[in-house]
Amino acid sequence: MGRKRKKLIEKSTSIIFRIDNETLFKLCDILQIKYDENAEILDDSTKNALNVEIKKIVHEFVK
C-alpha cells in the first residue's frame, strides 16, 4: 500500500556542478554579491545568494 507518489514533473532535483573561483567571482561581481576573495572557503551566505541568482537565470532561460 503506502502513499501515492508524486509525478517526477512535480518534484525538484538537486544538480551539483563544479566551477572555478575566478568565474565564480566574476559572476558575483556581475550580480553584485559580496564575497571575500582572501577567505579560505566561500561563506554560506555568498553560496546561498549565488544559488538564488543562478535559479533565476535558469528560470528566465527556459521561458
Side-chain angles (χ1 to χ4, degrees):
M1 289 279 183
R3 64 184 172 91
K4 183 178 177 184
R5 300 291 179 183
K6 289 183 179 180
K7 294 180 180 180
L8 183 58
I9 193 77
E10 297 171 359
K11 298 179 181 182
S12 63
T13 301
S14 295
I15 297 176
I16 300 172
F17 65 96
R18 188 170 300 275
I19 188 169
D20 63 277
N21 284 342
E22 182 179 357
T23 303
L24 200 59
F25 293 159
K26 287 179 185 177
L27 182 60
C28 285
D29 291 339
I30 291 168
L31 298 172
Q32 299 178 348
I33 296 173
K34 293 184 180 187
Y35 62 94
D36 180 3
E37 64 183 40
N38 296 315
E40 289 188 28
I41 61 171
L42 209 55
D43 63 78
D44 288 341
S45 63
T46 303
K47 285 191 266 187
N48 290 337
L50 279 164
N51 278 330
V52 167
E53 294 301 324
I54 291 169
K55 283 181 192 177
K56 287 179 188 176
I57 291 168
V58 172
H59 280 281
E60 285 300 312
F61 181 78
V62 298
K63 279 187 176 179

